[in-house]
mmCIF file of all heavy atoms in Angstrom:
data_model
loop_
_atom_site.group_PDB
_atom_site.id
_atom_site.type_symbol
_atom_site.label_atom_id
_atom_site.label_comp_id
_atom_site.label_asym_id
_atom_site.label_seq_id
_atom_site.Cartn_x
_atom_site.Cartn_y
_atom_site.Cartn_z
ATOM 1 N N TRP I 33 -5.651 37.920 4.424
ATOM 2 C CA TRP I 33 -4.882 37.059 3.530
ATOM 3 C C TRP I 33 -5.771 35.973 2.944
ATOM 4 O O TRP I 33 -6.460 35.247 3.658
ATOM 5 C CB TRP I 33 -3.726 36.406 4.274
ATOM 6 C CG TRP I 33 -2.653 37.362 4.682
ATOM 7 C CD1 TRP I 33 -2.434 37.862 5.924
ATOM 8 C CD2 TRP I 33 -1.650 37.937 3.837
ATOM 9 N NE1 TRP I 33 -1.354 38.715 5.915
ATOM 10 C CE2 TRP I 33 -0.852 38.781 4.647
ATOM 11 C CE3 TRP I 33 -1.356 37.826 2.478
ATOM 12 C CZ2 TRP I 33 0.219 39.500 4.141
ATOM 13 C CZ3 TRP I 33 -0.281 38.541 1.967
ATOM 14 C CH2 TRP I 33 0.488 39.362 2.798
ATOM 15 N N LEU I 49 -0.250 33.476 -1.632
ATOM 16 C CA LEU I 49 -1.090 34.297 -0.778
ATOM 17 C C LEU I 49 -1.392 35.629 -1.454
ATOM 18 O O LEU I 49 -0.491 36.263 -2.003
ATOM 19 C CB LEU I 49 -0.407 34.564 0.569
ATOM 20 C CG LEU I 49 0.045 33.353 1.387
ATOM 21 C CD1 LEU I 49 0.592 33.808 2.736
ATOM 22 C CD2 LEU I 49 -1.097 32.375 1.584
ATOM 23 N N GLU I 50 -2.650 36.038 -1.388
ATOM 24 C CA GLU I 50 -3.060 37.338 -1.898
ATOM 25 C C GLU I 50 -3.621 38.152 -0.738
ATOM 26 O O GLU I 50 -4.378 37.639 0.087
ATOM 27 C CB GLU I 50 -4.109 37.204 -2.993
ATOM 28 C CG GLU I 50 -4.530 38.549 -3.578
ATOM 29 C CD GLU I 50 -5.519 38.429 -4.723
ATOM 30 O OE1 GLU I 50 -5.870 37.285 -5.077
ATOM 31 O OE2 GLU I 50 -5.926 39.472 -5.275
ATOM 32 N N ARG I 51 -3.263 39.427 -0.686
ATOM 33 C CA ARG I 51 -3.698 40.278 0.420
ATOM 34 C C ARG I 51 -4.858 41.176 -0.003
ATOM 35 O O ARG I 51 -4.837 41.773 -1.076
ATOM 36 C CB ARG I 51 -2.545 41.155 0.923
ATOM 37 C CG ARG I 51 -2.869 41.905 2.223
ATOM 38 C CD ARG I 51 -1.680 42.728 2.685
ATOM 39 N NE ARG I 51 -1.456 43.876 1.826
ATOM 40 C CZ ARG I 51 -2.087 45.048 1.979
ATOM 41 N NH1 ARG I 51 -2.965 45.217 2.943
ATOM 42 N NH2 ARG I 51 -1.822 46.053 1.158
ATOM 43 N N PHE I 52 -5.853 41.253 0.862
ATOM 44 C CA PHE I 52 -6.978 42.163 0.679
ATOM 45 C C PHE I 52 -6.960 43.213 1.779
ATOM 46 O O PHE I 52 -6.419 42.981 2.870
ATOM 47 C CB PHE I 52 -8.306 41.394 0.719
ATOM 48 C CG PHE I 52 -8.640 40.694 -0.566
ATOM 49 C CD1 PHE I 52 -7.958 39.549 -0.953
ATOM 50 C CD2 PHE I 52 -9.629 41.182 -1.411
ATOM 51 C CE1 PHE I 52 -8.251 38.904 -2.146
ATOM 52 C CE2 PHE I 52 -9.935 40.549 -2.599
ATOM 53 C CZ PHE I 52 -9.242 39.408 -2.970
ATOM 54 N N ALA I 57 -9.505 44.341 -3.064
ATOM 55 C CA ALA I 57 -8.278 43.707 -3.548
ATOM 56 C C ALA I 57 -7.145 44.732 -3.581
ATOM 57 O O ALA I 57 -7.377 45.928 -3.787
ATOM 58 C CB ALA I 57 -8.503 43.128 -4.938
ATOM 59 N N THR I 58 -5.936 44.281 -3.355
ATOM 60 C CA THR I 58 -4.774 45.166 -3.383
ATOM 61 C C THR I 58 -3.819 44.837 -4.529
ATOM 62 O O THR I 58 -2.961 45.650 -4.868
ATOM 63 C CB THR I 58 -3.981 45.065 -2.066
ATOM 64 O OG1 THR I 58 -3.424 43.745 -1.949
ATOM 65 C CG2 THR I 58 -4.866 45.357 -0.864
ATOM 66 N N GLY I 59 -3.963 43.646 -5.095
ATOM 67 C CA GLY I 59 -2.998 43.216 -6.116
ATOM 68 C C GLY I 59 -1.705 42.728 -5.513
ATOM 69 O O GLY I 59 -0.750 42.431 -6.237
ATOM 70 N N ASP I 60 -1.649 42.619 -4.179
ATOM 71 C CA ASP I 60 -0.448 42.146 -3.494
ATOM 72 C C ASP I 60 -0.505 40.633 -3.351
ATOM 73 O O ASP I 60 -1.496 40.093 -2.831
ATOM 74 C CB ASP I 60 -0.340 42.753 -2.094
ATOM 75 C CG ASP I 60 -0.183 44.259 -2.117
ATOM 76 O OD1 ASP I 60 0.085 44.805 -3.193
ATOM 77 O OD2 ASP I 60 -0.328 44.879 -1.045
ATOM 78 N N PHE I 61 0.534 39.956 -3.797
ATOM 79 C CA PHE I 61 0.588 38.523 -3.554
ATOM 80 C C PHE I 61 2.026 38.049 -3.456
ATOM 81 O O PHE I 61 2.959 38.722 -3.904
ATOM 82 C CB PHE I 61 -0.185 37.741 -4.622
ATOM 83 C CG PHE I 61 0.446 37.752 -5.993
ATOM 84 C CD1 PHE I 61 1.292 36.731 -6.383
ATOM 85 C CD2 PHE I 61 0.178 38.778 -6.885
ATOM 86 C CE1 PHE I 61 1.868 36.732 -7.652
ATOM 87 C CE2 PHE I 61 0.747 38.789 -8.154
ATOM 88 C CZ PHE I 61 1.602 37.763 -8.533
ATOM 89 N N ILE I 62 2.193 36.908 -2.823
ATOM 90 C CA ILE I 62 3.527 36.329 -2.629
ATOM 91 C C ILE I 62 3.456 34.828 -2.881
ATOM 92 O O ILE I 62 2.386 34.218 -2.814
ATOM 93 C CB ILE I 62 4.067 36.580 -1.199
ATOM 94 C CG1 ILE I 62 3.160 35.905 -0.161
ATOM 95 C CG2 ILE I 62 4.211 38.073 -0.925
ATOM 96 C CD1 ILE I 62 3.700 35.969 1.261
ATOM 97 N N VAL I 153 3.768 42.855 4.457
ATOM 98 C CA VAL I 153 3.069 43.906 3.721
ATOM 99 C C VAL I 153 4.042 44.997 3.295
ATOM 100 O O VAL I 153 4.003 45.492 2.163
ATOM 101 C CB VAL I 153 1.926 44.501 4.571
ATOM 102 C CG1 VAL I 153 1.257 45.658 3.840
ATOM 103 C CG2 VAL I 153 0.892 43.432 4.912
ATOM 104 N N ILE I 156 6.169 43.776 0.351
ATOM 105 C CA ILE I 156 5.422 43.828 -0.906
ATOM 106 C C ILE I 156 5.368 45.260 -1.422
ATOM 107 O O ILE I 156 5.567 45.526 -2.623
ATOM 108 C CB ILE I 156 3.998 43.280 -0.716
ATOM 109 C CG1 ILE I 156 4.036 41.803 -0.343
ATOM 110 C CG2 ILE I 156 3.175 43.475 -1.995
ATOM 111 C CD1 ILE I 156 2.680 41.233 0.056
ATOM 112 N N LYS I 157 5.092 46.191 -0.516
ATOM 113 C CA LYS I 157 5.027 47.610 -0.894
ATOM 114 C C LYS I 157 6.356 48.074 -1.463
ATOM 115 O O LYS I 157 6.413 48.779 -2.475
ATOM 116 C CB LYS I 157 4.655 48.444 0.327
ATOM 117 C CG LYS I 157 4.607 49.939 0.073
ATOM 118 C CD LYS I 157 4.256 50.690 1.354
ATOM 119 C CE LYS I 157 4.239 52.187 1.134
ATOM 120 N NZ LYS I 157 3.923 52.921 2.391
ATOM 121 N N LYS I 160 6.912 46.814 -4.980
ATOM 122 C CA LYS I 160 6.131 47.603 -5.934
ATOM 123 C C LYS I 160 6.827 48.925 -6.220
ATOM 124 O O LYS I 160 6.916 49.376 -7.370
ATOM 125 C CB LYS I 160 4.728 47.853 -5.377
ATOM 126 C CG LYS I 160 3.767 46.684 -5.504
ATOM 127 C CD LYS I 160 2.371 47.110 -5.068
ATOM 128 C CE LYS I 160 1.333 46.063 -5.400
ATOM 129 N NZ LYS I 160 -0.030 46.494 -5.007
#
Side-chain angles (χ1 to χ4, degrees):
W33 291 103
L49 305 185
E50 182 177 359
R51 189 179 71 85
F52 280 73
T58 66
D60 296 347
F61 69 94
I62 62 174
V153 176
I156 296 172
K157 178 181 178 181
K160 281 187 170 182

